[in-house]
Amino acid sequence: MNIEMKGINKSFGTNQVLKDAGFVLKDGEVHALMGENGAGKSTLMKILTGVYTRDAGTVLVDGEEVTYRSPQEAEKAGIVFIYQELNVLFDLTVEENLFMGKEITKFGGVCDKKAMRAKAQEMMDKMGVNIPVNAVMSDLSVGQQQMVEICKALMVDAKVLIMDEPTAALTQSETEVLFEVMNSLRKKGVSIVYISHRMEEIFELCDRITILRDGSYVGTENIKDIDMDGVVQMMIGREIGERFPKRDVKIGEEVIRVEGLTKGKTFKDVNFSVRAGEVLGVSGLMGAGRTEIMQAIFGNLPYDSGKIFIEGNETKIKNPRQAIAAGIGFITEDRKTEGLLLEKSIAENIDIANLKKVSNNGVLAKSKQAELVKKGIEEFRVKCFGPQHETGNLSGGNQQKVVLAKWIYTDPKILILDEPTRGVDIGAKKEIYSVINDMAAKGVAVIMVSSELPEVLGMSDRIMVVHEGEVTGILDAADADQAKVMTLATGGSL
Amino acid sequence: MEKNKKSIGAFIGEYGAFIALALLVIVISCISPEFRTASNFLNLLRQASFNGLIAFGMTCVILSDGIDLSVGSTFALSAIICAEFLINGWPAPLAILVSLIAGTGLGAVSGLLVTKGRLQPFIATLITMTAYRGLAFILTSGKPISRLAASIESDAGAFLFKMLGKGNLEIGPKSAFISIPIPVIILVAAFAIFYFVLHHTTFGRKLYATGSNAKCANLVGVNTSAVKIIVYAISGFMSALAGLIMISRVDSAQCTLGEGFELDAIAAVALGGTSMSGGRGKILGTIAGVLIIAVLNNGLNILGVPTYYQEVIKAIVILVAVLSDRKR
């Protein structure tokens, strides 16, 4: 299926999000759509699939002008959008999800379970994935759930698949399976629009790349004819310079030491320490227990045994309030469900972590509030209408900046960041790295959990690698490389 | 994104309940001369005070992403506790105090069931609602306790007790004063306190954060369990306060007091635009909701609409108001 979108304009209120945007999708290609957060990638795709209506411009499908009025209409035409937040019913089984709304029936209304099961199994086999079709969705891994979504799309005979950040929550091996499936779909003539911030993946997988900037079309290139720097330049319209800004910080005294931290099979005998001004990177595969270790240190997950010392004193931390009192700040992995009050304003989100700072004896002081949020928006360069902008309407990078701001104003001695740049564009990533460096320069002990190896290698002073709940090594950044970290992360030894 | 512009739509969204209230008052006033008298309005406000006080507490509970079905039972049980003490010769101030403490405690029990017991608020307060009503029956053996004021020994105590529900405050020059019922004054004072607490204190912020996203609130150091226990305790206190006004007014207490009050209170909160899933809403909206219900009750009575029809009309008004309040 050929799709051509050109001259697309779209405004929400006074905010024009697309201005002369477009792209051309050819038969049987994997086409990367790139751009910073807020560049308009998702909006453009939502216009194609009838979620939004366009203000101006044309959409041609196989040469004919079309306007889909709903995602269902687009689906009927063979265009399916697989969202980043999966659209599955978690309490139902795989087969029930696959046949939702299009059940095979007999006797005019009774579900033919046998036929559905057989068909579901056939689809899974065709895709070459091994997922039990009678399993309940919530028991599956995110990667498997994603496969079910793709399978659902194939059931309606999709000719165009649009995938928004499909690998954001996948492990390495799940990503490989996904790529295999995508490659075989491409061979069958299915076109795929691939939205991702992960450069490496795009160069591995895609045929062509289209770049959007500030809602406008910038250009389309064959992937063979361009390199990463070229893509970045097109995305931000200038050279970005060093990917990981340098840091020159004198490392001070030990701030936090963890001894023998253990929780059942989740993590065992974890020992490490971080000093003032130091950045400890924490690496490991998905599910290795990295997040759980951090949650335990922050008092949000009870542990069986072990000790935490802060500035040399053993500190009991049973809940987040005690952790905060001990000087720990914690930027969680999932900013949407844990990091932000999405329906609340930037001001309220910053206030809630800093209530003591913005009040006198329990009564809110408007001037102090206004001052703090103004400082936050300026210092962190949050793109917004003002302090009252709802955080749910901010782009991913700007949301993350609000989360950073709220924690940094609590003046933590220890800052734990869990996947701080997930789903964040390159420009915002660099700003977040600068914030981390500034914190280190102020003498904060930083712990950064990340699945992105280049980031861990580029930002850390030392790297702790976790494999199945155990620390398999702590490397100095100077003599660490991707191979060494991966070896430790997969249970090997150096 | 269009929120920053104060469009007509946003205005209606924000003050929809007040617009509905104004329309109702205007329409009923046009039809009925009896309705539009000052004395009827004061009477109407006094009738609204019970539901108003309870609805303020309910607003807090709903803002925390909960619900309190036990308010009617708490209303009855704490009133009966006060009545029992009065009948047994306790001084009025003490009986009133004990009753308010009891109401607060009864509410806190619901809060503990929700937090420590990890029960869903609907189930937790369904349990306390049933239990408290049962206790009210047991305490009174199902019989009313009457002649309360007469059983108070000290004159000052009797006066205090009577003032709660029957008293008036006379305002204005001697020749043309208006008597404002004490329950209305309590209602206004309570409104001011709730307004201040919800919008100008750190506790208010914590409450909105808890209802908006408890996980996130907990991680930034808000003790969400404590917030929840406190709002149920507040709800219990407000129910007890309303109960005291009621028994002062009717001079007797019985175990069936306050049956169905939870529904009026929830309706008032919903009319006021507070989100049933917590985190969003205003006490100002609740007062509008309370007044809408009071105007309907009072107005339909005066217009002589048969009781059965009144209920249906009420339902329709609530439906229309809630639908028009919905965003988008």
Side-chain angles (χ1 to χ4, degrees), chain B residues 267-327:
Chain B
V269 176
L271 274 171
T274 295
S275 159
M276 286 292 129
S277 51
R280 263 178 198 277
K282 291 190 175 119
I283 201 78
L284 201 61
T286 298
I287 194 82
V290 167
L291 292 176
I292 288 175
I293 293 176
V295 166
L296 278 174
N297 283 337
N298 176 289
L300 295 177
N301 259 331
I302 288 179
L303 293 178
V305 177
T307 319
Y308 301 151
Y309 289 91
Q310 284 188 19
E311 295 294 314
V312 176
I313 294 173
K314 253 163 77 179
I316 292 169
V317 170
I318 292 173
L319 177 68
V320 170
V322 173
L323 282 181
S324 65
D325 193 36
R326 223 168 30 186
K327 282 181 184 158

Side-chain angles (χ1 to χ4, degrees), chain A residues 254-284:
Chain A
E254 173 190 293
V255 181
I256 180 168
R257 187 167 83 246
V258 173
E259 281 184 3
L261 205 65
T262 301
K263 178 189 173 63
K265 284 183 185 149
T266 319
F267 50 83
K268 284 188 285 283
D269 195 24
V270 174
N271 296 291
F272 70 89
S273 68
V274 192
R275 293 155 65 173
E278 189 181 32
V279 177
L280 177 75
V282 181
S283 191

Side-chain angles (χ1 to χ4, degrees), chain B residues 59-67 207 210-212 227-228 231-232 277-279:
Chain B
T59 305
C60 294
V61 174
I62 289 178
L63 279 175
S64 81
D65 193 15
I67 192 131
L207 170 53
T210 301
S212 177
V227 168
K228 286 183 184 172
V231 290
Y232 286 94
S277 51

Side-chain angles (χ1 to χ4, degrees), chain A residues 160-313:
Chain A
V160 173
L161 272 184
I162 301 161
M163 305 176 87
D164 193 355
E165 294 270 359
T167 56
L170 297 194
T171 64
Q172 194 68 37
S173 59
E174 283 175 333
T175 303
E176 278 163 23
V177 176
L178 176 69
F179 286 1
E180 272 169 36
V181 170
M182 287 171 71
N183 276 325
S184 77
L185 290 176
R186 162 162 52 189
K187 279 192 202 115
K188 287 174 193 152
V190 176
S191 312
I192 297 171
V193 179
Y194 191 75
I195 302 175
S196 175
H197 288 303
R198 296 198 177 166
M199 232 30 125
E200 286 85 358
E201 291 178 356
I202 283 168
F203 280 88
E204 183 187 335
L205 187 74
C206 299
D207 303 305
R208 294 197 305 153
I209 177 167
T210 290
I211 286 146
L212 298 179
R213 182 170 72 229
D214 298 330
S216 302
Y217 174 82
V218 177
T220 302
E221 295 286 343
N222 284 318
I223 213 84
K224 295 193 295 281
D225 305 332
I226 193 166
D227 60 5
M228 285 193 199
D229 289 340
V231 172
V232 171
Q233 238 178 75
M234 285 172 79
M235 274 169 62
I236 61 174
R238 60 189 149 85
E239 283 188 60
I240 190 157
E242 195 87 49
R243 204 163 151 198
F244 301 103
K246 286 259 180 318
R247 170 174 78 238
D248 187 18
V249 175
K250 230 180 110 199
I251 291 175
E253 297 286 307
E254 173 190 293
V255 181
I256 180 168
R257 187 167 83 246
V258 173
E259 281 184 3
L261 205 65
T262 301
K263 178 189 173 63
K265 284 183 185 149
T266 319
F267 50 83
K268 284 188 285 283
D269 195 24
V270 174
N271 296 291
F272 70 89
S273 68
V274 192
R275 293 155 65 173
E278 189 181 32
V279 177
L280 177 75
V282 181
S283 191
L285 300 178
M286 228 6 117
R290 298 167 305 174
T291 295
E292 289 77 4
I293 295 169
M294 297 308 144
Q295 294 267 1
I297 294 171
F298 194 66
N300 202 34
L301 185 73
Y303 52 88
D304 303 335
S305 59
K307 287 176 182 169
I308 297 167
F309 296 85
I310 289 174
E311 292 177 332
N313 304 315

Side-chain angles (χ1 to χ4, degrees), chain B:
Chain B
M1 311 223 163
E2 286 173 17
K3 263 177 218 152
N4 286 27
K5 284 194 295 179
K6 284 278 169 196
S7 63
I8 295 174
F11 182 80
I12 292 176
E14 189 121 343
Y15 299 103
F18 282 100
I19 295 169
L21 175 64
L23 284 176
L24 269 179
V25 171
I26 291 168
V27 170
I28 302 177
S29 294
C30 286
I31 307 173
S32 161
E34 210 180 321
F35 176 80
R36 57 177 186 247
T37 58
S39 68
N40 184 54
F41 280 125
L42 285 175
N43 187 31
L44 183 156
L45 285 175
R46 186 171 49 213
Q47 290 166 348
S49 63
F50 304 107
N51 188 26
L53 293 173
I54 297 172
F56 291 163
M58 185 70 81
T59 305
C60 294
V61 174
I62 289 178
L63 279 175
S64 81
D65 193 15
I67 192 131
D68 190 353
L69 300 179
S70 73
V71 288
S73 300
T74 305
F75 178 94
L77 184 54
S78 45
I80 284 164
I81 289 170
C82 179
E84 290 283 355
F85 278 102
L86 289 178
I87 288 290
N88 286 307
W90 282 49
L94 210 56
I96 289 171
L97 190 66
V98 169
S99 166
L100 290 174
I101 292 172
T104 311
L106 294 172
V109 171
S110 298
L112 285 169
L113 289 178
V114 169
T115 52
K116 306 291 167 207
R118 289 166 190 267
L119 293 180
Q120 286 184 351
F122 191 96
I123 302 300
T125 58
L126 187 65
I127 291 168
T128 48
M129 164 175 149
T130 314
Y132 298 167
R133 184 65 67 189
L135 284 174
F137 273 93
I138 293 170
L139 275 180
T140 58
S141 315
K143 281 180 262 179
I145 309 169
S146 41
R147 294 177 50 71
L148 298 176
S151 60
I152 301 171
E153 278 176 23
S154 82
D155 288 345
F159 177 74
L160 172 73
F161 179 71
K162 279 196 259 181
M163 276 301 274
L164 266 182
K166 292 181 186 163
N168 288 299
L169 193 70
E170 291 168 0
I171 293 180
K174 278 243 155 70
S175 50
F177 63 83
I178 35 171
S179 344
I180 299 178
I182 297 289
V184 176
I185 290 170
I186 295 177
L187 183 72
V188 172
F191 171 75
I193 292 169
F194 273 83
Y195 184 87
F196 180 77
V197 170
L198 286 184
H199 300 302
H200 291 280
T201 67
T202 53
F203 177 77
R205 276 298 162 86
K206 288 178 186 171
L207 170 53
Y208 279 95
T210 301
S212 177
N213 183 347
K215 244 186 190 171
C216 171
N218 196 43
L219 282 172
V220 293
V222 175
N223 188 342
T224 51
S225 297
V227 168
K228 286 183 184 172
I229 294 169
I230 290 170
V231 290
Y232 286 94
I234 291 173
S235 178
F237 176 88
M238 296 307 287
S239 305
L241 181 61
L244 288 173
I245 295 173
M246 176 67 94
I247 56 170
S248 157
R249 184 147 184 79
V250 299
D251 201 26
S252 77
Q254 57 186 30
C255 48
T256 54
L257 278 179
E259 275 182 338
F261 275 25
E262 59 281 352
L263 300 181
D264 269 354
I266 294 168
V269 176
L271 274 171
T274 295
S275 159
M276 286 292 129
S277 51
R280 263 178 198 277
K282 291 190 175 119
I283 201 78
L284 201 61
T286 298
I287 194 82
V290 167
L291 292 176
I292 288 175
I293 293 176
V295 166
L296 278 174
N297 283 337
N298 176 289
L300 295 177
N301 259 331
I302 288 179
L303 293 178
V305 177
T307 319
Y308 301 151
Y309 289 91
Q310 284 188 19
E311 295 294 314
V312 176
I313 294 173
K314 253 163 77 179
I316 292 169
V317 170
I318 292 173
L319 177 68
V320 170
V322 173
L323 282 181
S324 65
D325 193 36
R326 223 168 30 186
K327 282 181 184 158
R328 269 171 291 188

